[in-house]
Amino acid sequence: MQKVLDLIKNPSFKIAILVFVLVAFSAGLVGIYFTQIPPEQPILFPHNRHVNLQIQCLYCHSGAWKQASAGLPTEQKCWACHGQLKKYFDPVVPVSEWPIELQKLNDYAVNNKPIKWVPVYQVPDFVHFNHRPHVAKGVACETCHGDMSKKTVATLEQTVNMGWCIDCHTKKSANDPVLQAKLLDCGTCHY
Ligand code: HEC
Ligand code: HEC
Ligand code: HEC
Ligand code: HEC
Ligand code: HEC
């Protein structure tokens, strides 16, 4: 026991602890920093240009109002439009002169290759998140995902942690003790 106390009083041991804490802390910061960088996507999909054409979020993420997962569009969903647009715009422009991201889309679509979009928002497996009750109660996509009319690919606007869920659930049910009990019950979000 005395040895341990001596060790703790030893100045170089204190420095070692300090260094350890600093390293752990900056590792935490690096972690946060990396999660803010959007992952590289197979196609740089411009949300801004599509959302500004008044194409509804639910057209591409149609799961959001009916099920847990919002879903991501397939290459055929994109092609339903772009396959038409290419004729409509200029049938004689060869594919090799299209904007590069549309050349990629063309390659996926005509070869029936699924586009492997990289997930941005994710809760761990032991958490149960369901879009439907949120969308049904009028919580706007923007509240959780930010203003997509100003973005190209999706970025993480909100660190998805338990505090964030609980905070909003507490506010939304402030006047209704029964609802509050349900929204704050561990079993509502954890199986
Ligand atoms: C409902 C029709 C529609 C759907 C569905 C659609 N797009 Fe588009 N997209 C357009 C239109 C119209 C433009 C041109 C918009 C502009 O000029 O601002 C466009 C522009 C683009 C551009 C920019 C091209 C350039 O000029 O640089 C890319 C890339 C693109 N779309 C990819 C996709 C992908 C990938 C999907 C599927 C996830 C998709 N689009 C689904 C209508 C659509
Ligand atoms: C209450 C906050 C909240 C609202 C409102 C919300 N989302 Fe989400 N969204 C999330 C969370 C959390 C995830 C991660 C879910 C997971 O990992 O299962 C997610 C994931 C997604 C994904 C990834 C793919 C998938 O299948 O889940 C898409 C796309 C998406 N949301 C689109 C939308 C759209 C479109 C709307 C509006 C119609 C919307 N979200 C409304 C919180 C929200
Ligand atoms: C024309 C199709 C299209 C429309 C319209 C569209 N999106 Fe997306 N969305 C995509 C594609 C493709 C991706 C995958 C690439 C990426 O992450 O940016 C995506 C990704 C996302 C993600 C990240 C999903 C993840 O993996 O976590 C969110 C959140 C999202 N969209 C929200 C919205 C919202 C909100 C709207 C309406 C304001 C909207 N989108 C409109 C095609 C679309
Ligand atoms: C911006 C506010 C907001 C955020 C953030 C939010 N929720 Fe919710 N949540 C709601 C509202 C509103 C309801 C619907 C309450 C009702 O039925 O009136 C709801 C309902 C739910 C339900 C359905 C409860 C039931 O059994 O009917 C689940 C599950 C849920 N949320 C999980 C989550 C999880 C997990 C997160 C975090 C990843 C989260 N929510 C973040 C507002 C939010
Ligand atoms: C509204 C949704 C919601 C409710 C209610 C909720 N949790 Fe969570 N919980 C989450 C989310 C989302 C995560 C994953 C993100 C994180 O780790 O913060 C999580 C993570 C956890 C973790 C893992 C923490 C970690 O650091 O890995 C534990 C343990 C936990 N919750 C316990 C509970 C207990 C106990 C209750 C009831 C008192 C509860 N949760 C209620 C949403 C919820």
Side-chain angles (χ1 to χ4, degrees):
M1 191 61 201
Q2 191 55 43
K3 271 189 184 162
V4 175
L5 284 177
D6 285 346
L7 180 64
I8 294 172
K9 282 188 208 136
N10 182 323
S12 58
F13 180 76
K14 285 188 185 158
I15 290 170
I17 292 279
L18 183 67
V19 168
F20 176 77
V21 169
L22 283 178
V23 167
F25 182 65
S26 43
L29 285 184
V30 169
I32 293 167
Y33 178 67
F34 277 125
T35 58
Q36 303 298 335
I37 300 177
E40 201 176 312
Q41 297 290 352
I43 296 177
L44 260 178
F45 170 75
H47 267 92
N48 48 0
R49 292 174 67 173
H50 293 84
V51 172
N52 290 328
L53 287 167
Q54 311 298 328
I55 306 173
Q56 298 301 304
C57 313
L58 291 174
Y59 181 78
C60 291
H61 306 298
S62 56
W65 68 276
K66 52 184 180 204
Q67 62 194 39
S69 143
L72 292 167
T74 62
E75 74 288 353
Q76 295 310 329
K77 183 121 216 174
C78 313
W79 205 238
C81 233
H82 280 274
Q84 302 295 320
L85 286 173
K86 82 174 177 187
K87 293 180 219 146
Y88 179 74
F89 279 140
D90 193 346
V92 295
V93 177
V95 176
S96 59
E97 283 170 29
W98 293 4
I100 182 75
E101 302 302 321
L102 291 182
Q103 290 186 36
K104 291 192 213 163
L105 175 60
N106 179 71
D107 180 45
Y108 282 105
V110 300
N111 296 311
N112 264 313
K113 280 195 293 185
I115 310 175
K116 295 202 173 75
W117 303 112
V118 185
V120 181
Y121 287 81
Q122 258 179 323
V123 292
D125 283 348
F126 57 87
V127 177
H128 166 70
F129 178 81
N130 189 340
H131 274 88
R132 192 166 72 107
H134 297 93
V135 176
K137 284 286 152 154
V139 184
C141 314
E142 197 176 334
T143 316
C144 302
H145 295 302
D147 184 354
M148 298 303 297
S149 71
K150 297 201 168 66
K151 293 186 208 174
T152 53
V153 293
T155 53
L156 198 61
E157 283 294 305
Q158 174 62 55
T159 312
V160 178
N161 59 29
M162 181 160 135
W164 174 59
C165 318
I166 296 282
D167 193 41
C168 182
H169 280 195
T170 308
K171 284 187 198 137
K172 293 279 183 189
S173 58
N175 303 318
D176 183 343
V178 177
L179 181 62
Q180 183 146 80
K182 183 171 81 173
L183 290 187
L184 300 185
D185 181 21
C186 316
T188 298
C189 304
H190 297 293
Y191 295 113

